[in-house]
Amino acid sequence: MAAVTAAPPRSSKTESYVDNKRKQDIRLANINAARAVADAVRTSLGPKGMDKMISTANGEVIITNDGATILNKMEVLQPAAKMLVDLSKSQDAAAGDGTTTVVVIAGALLRQCLSLLTHGIHPTVISDSLHKASIKAVDVLTAMAVPLELSDRESLIKSASTSLNSKVVSQYSTLLAPLAVDAVLSVVDPVKPDMVDLRDIKIVKKLGGTVDDTELVKGLVFDKKASHAAGGPTRMENAKIAVIQFQISPPKTDIEQSIVVSDYTQMDRILKEERNYILGMIKKIKATGCNVLLIQKSILRDAVTDLSLHYLAKAKIMVIKDVERDEIEFITKTLNCLPIANIEHFRAEKLGHADLVEEASLGDGKIVKITGIKDMGRTTTVLVRGSNQLVIDEAERSLHDALCVVRCLVNKRFLIAGGGAPEIELSRQLGAWSKVLHGMEGFCVRSFAEALEVIPYTLAENAGLNPIAIVTELRNRHAQGEINAGINVRKGQITNILEENVVQPLLVSTSAITLATECVRMILKIDDIVNVR
């Protein structure tokens, strides 16, 4: 009987060598790249934060304090660091403000994750604990929040000016904050009271003057001058306004071709036909009683020629040409009229009515203002002024943030304190909650709680205070039950922040925390980067 040869012993799973070094290296590289991005914007957090000057490749210079703008313009190559850029973009879309906060929180969370990973905790465990903690954090914040009514204009202005405090134009917050509140409240639709479309607020930038000259215009403003050709009118009372999308110029052939004219009589006939064609159009326009024309820019041929401008001026019709295609929707909504695409459809009921259309000199240029619009749509225009282009651009970005803050309050009508108060309170409550949890979870939640202290720490650091002393004192105050104690940067000490009128919408903080944790969890889950050619 043949002896059965024993199979060689297979090495069990536990003995086989698995290369984990690469996975750790990739995680480390991702986390470090993302933290570098977070540290880049960290200094611009808070009212005493610094501004960044961004010089682009084509020589354009931008000075800004807005986290989303800074990260947008940065050339980030590492894929994980790009996620932080997208993170600030999504915060900009969701809440509009807190774009720096969200990146700084994500950076602090990643730093804690790194120490947890070196302790040998599995990434999935960390990720799940983070998720639980972020849900708990949102509950804690909601419990802290103070409800608010839209009729309470003071509180809305307070939160808008808190948002403006960290910007370059903070000294103008007394002017810009009420302006932002009025702009948003004027476009809120009573049918859908929770929705605000910021596209209904048009911001027109005009060089000259100072930011003090910024104003809210009930009506329309065009950053163009009216057509002065042939002495046309530049001011029109009781205006009937038509928005036209066709051209008042002689027709052209659809294909490139040349017409050869052999004798003068034919030439005269062509010119005469052109004149008659244009006159026929203008008679139709005049017949409806229209006296102001807004003419859309045309690609194929001139929207208006000198001849047609001459006839329009004779007919006493004011002309504003080169209206951009994407502005048409806003204009028609404001004027409550319909755009006219063909001369055959030109009827009186498609016109908009306004008390006054006039051209005004402003700075070095001219603008056209339309005021006293009948049955005006729910839109509004903000005219931003400034001494140089950098200031105007930054004023526009700051105003956008303030508008977003008011929009947040319309969507979700709750306020919470600012100045690092909610973060410390969260840190305290999550720390207490982590003691109840079992095993690894408690450990992870505690480090999540510690990470949230980065906001008050950075606020203090940027204001030139002693961060460690301030944060310790803050913890102490919160432990004694002062929920709204926060860092008062102006006085350099800890006070009740609600009394100092430093408030922010609940939505800004909750979305910052949920978005930051989501981003960190994604970065944690990545264990390899594969380059595809």
Side-chain angles (χ1 to χ4, degrees):
M1 187 179 162
V4 181
T5 52
R10 299 279 304 275
S11 69
S12 67
K13 274 272 174 69
T14 49
E15 289 170 26
S16 63
Y17 170 67
V18 184
D19 179 19
N20 270 334
K21 187 81 184 84
R22 177 172 165 77
K23 293 180 182 176
Q24 282 169 356
D25 284 350
I26 294 243
R27 266 199 196 99
L28 191 68
N30 282 347
I31 290 179
N32 282 337
R35 275 180 57 195
V37 171
D39 289 341
V41 291
R42 209 181 113 179
T43 50
S44 65
L45 181 77
K48 296 275 192 224
M50 296 297 164
D51 295 343
K52 304 272 180 265
M53 191 177 216
I54 303 162
S55 173
T56 53
N58 55 10
E60 181 192 7
V61 174
I62 301 170
I63 298 178
T64 181
N65 188 298
D66 184 41
T69 314
I70 298 170
L71 290 178
N72 232 339
K73 300 287 178 197
M74 273 185 2
E75 292 283 324
V76 181
L77 297 174
Q78 218 274 355
K82 274 187 184 157
M83 287 166 67
L84 280 195
V85 178
D86 294 339
L87 170 69
S88 76
K89 274 187 197 163
S90 51
Q91 171 75 359
D92 202 24
D97 197 26
T99 46
T100 318
T101 314
V102 72
V103 177
V104 172
I105 291 180
L109 287 176
L110 285 169
R111 186 169 157 209
Q112 293 288 357
C113 290
L114 199 55
S115 75
L116 291 175
L117 285 170
T118 47
H119 284 232
I121 302 176
H122 196 273
T124 317
V125 179
I126 303 177
S127 164
D128 292 345
S129 317
L130 270 183
H131 183 57
K132 276 189 178 173
S134 78
I135 294 172
K136 173 81 174 167
V138 172
D139 292 345
V140 172
L141 280 176
T142 318
M144 280 177 68
V146 184
L148 150 112
E149 284 303 316
L150 280 192
S151 51
D152 183 6
R153 191 159 171 270
E154 284 303 306
S155 298
L156 292 174
I157 291 175
K158 279 178 203 168
S159 55
S161 62
T162 304
S163 156
L164 289 167
N165 272 344
S166 61
K167 309 285 185 245
V168 183
V169 290
S170 58
Q171 67 264 36
Y172 302 113
S173 62
T174 46
L175 166 80
L176 293 179
L179 191 133
V181 172
D182 294 341
V184 173
L185 291 183
S186 65
V187 300
V188 174
D189 193 356
V191 186
K192 293 181 287 189
D194 304 348
M195 287 298 295
V196 177
D197 188 358
L198 286 186
R199 282 174 301 200
D200 290 342
I201 301 172
K202 184 177 166 204
I203 298 182
V204 177
K205 300 183 283 190
K206 197 77 178 135
L207 197 62
T210 59
V211 182
D212 275 332
D213 301 332
T214 301
E215 57 177 337
L216 190 68
V217 181
K218 272 270 174 235
L220 269 176
V221 174
F222 292 100
D223 188 9
K224 310 179 171 56
K225 57 181 201 284
S227 162
H228 287 266
T234 56
R235 178 190 164 96
M236 190 63 74
E237 290 180 6
N238 292 334
K240 290 183 181 167
I241 306 164
V243 180
I244 62 171
Q245 296 179 303
F246 56 87
Q247 297 88 8
I248 308 183
S249 58
K252 258 187 180 171
T253 48
D254 288 342
I255 41 177
E256 273 299 318
Q257 64 181 52
S258 50
I259 302 169
V260 180
V261 181
S262 50
D263 72 17
Y264 280 120
T265 49
Q266 282 174 322
M267 197 131 153
D268 282 349
R269 257 178 65 201
I270 290 176
L271 289 172
K272 199 170 173 187
E273 281 298 318
E274 271 185 19
R275 268 196 218 121
N276 288 345
Y277 178 79
I278 291 174
L279 270 172
M281 283 177 115
I282 291 174
K283 275 178 186 154
K284 278 182 187 164
I285 293 173
K286 192 68 186 162
T288 57
C290 162
N291 53 15
V292 177
L293 273 187
L294 305 177
I295 303 179
Q296 180 183 312
K297 245 185 189 166
S298 164
I299 310 165
L300 300 173
R301 57 180 208 218
D302 301 333
V304 278
T305 58
D306 288 347
L307 187 63
S308 53
L309 281 175
H310 169 78
Y311 285 135
L312 283 167
K314 271 196 167 170
K316 294 275 184 292
I317 295 177
M318 181 171 170
V319 179
I320 299 156
K321 54 183 186 185
D322 293 343
V323 174
E324 293 293 341
R325 184 174 290 250
D326 44 8
E327 285 179 12
I328 294 283
E329 187 186 350
F330 180 83
I331 293 168
T332 50
K333 187 172 179 180
T334 308
L335 291 174
N336 205 352
C337 64
L338 294 169
I340 302 165
N342 193 324
I343 185 72
E344 303 305 327
H345 304 154
F346 207 104
R347 300 199 183 85
E349 55 267 23
K350 290 194 178 181
L351 304 183
H353 299 270
D355 292 344
L356 181 63
V357 180
E358 67 170 337
E359 181 183 75
S361 292
L362 201 66
D364 53 355
K366 292 191 171 167
I367 59 165
V368 175
K369 266 190 190 177
I370 303 181
T371 47
I373 300 170
K374 307 245 184 348
D375 307 326
M376 179 171 158
R378 292 191 167 273
T379 60
T380 186
T381 307
V382 180
L383 185 62
V384 177
R385 309 291 307 281
S387 51
N388 62 23
Q389 203 55 48
L390 298 176
V391 173
I392 293 183
D393 289 344
E394 181 59 8
E396 183 197 18
R397 279 191 290 270
S398 312
L399 197 58
H400 178 261
D401 275 9
L403 291 171
C404 286
V405 164
V406 184
R407 184 189 67 180
C408 285
L409 286 173
V410 172
N411 290 357
K412 202 170 183 185
R413 299 174 186 184
F414 286 101
L415 281 174
I416 55 172
E423 283 83 6
I424 279 283
E425 183 61 24
L426 273 181
S427 177
R428 191 184 68 79
Q429 295 208 21
L430 286 177
W433 184 57
S434 71
K435 290 174 185 158
V436 185
L437 295 172
H438 297 295
M440 289 294 181
E441 277 191 348
F443 197 63
C444 297
V445 170
R446 191 161 84 241
S447 53
F448 178 66
E450 281 170 21
L452 286 172
E453 289 181 1
V454 72
I455 298 288
Y457 186 93
T458 310
L459 278 177
E461 195 177 48
N462 287 349
L465 310 170
N466 177 357
I468 295 171
I470 288 275
V471 173
T472 314
E473 172 63 14
L474 251 184
R475 270 196 220 138
N476 184 14
R477 288 283 192 88
H478 277 262
Q480 289 165 9
E482 296 182 31
I483 295 188
N484 294 325
I487 303 172
N488 185 345
V489 182
R490 295 202 185 95
K491 293 182 183 163
Q493 62 204 47
I494 291 169
T495 52
N496 183 339
I497 279 292
L498 277 185
E499 289 166 9
E500 297 286 339
N501 298 340
V502 179
V503 286
Q504 60 188 26
L506 175 64
L507 195 63
V508 170
S509 294
T510 51
S511 89
I513 284 174
T514 44
L515 289 172
T517 47
E518 205 167 86
C519 179
V520 170
R521 286 176 65 203
M522 289 225 14
I523 292 177
L524 272 181
K525 291 262 175 108
I526 298 169
D527 71 345
D528 208 346
I529 295 177
V530 183
N531 288 327
V532 183
R533 284 277 167 271

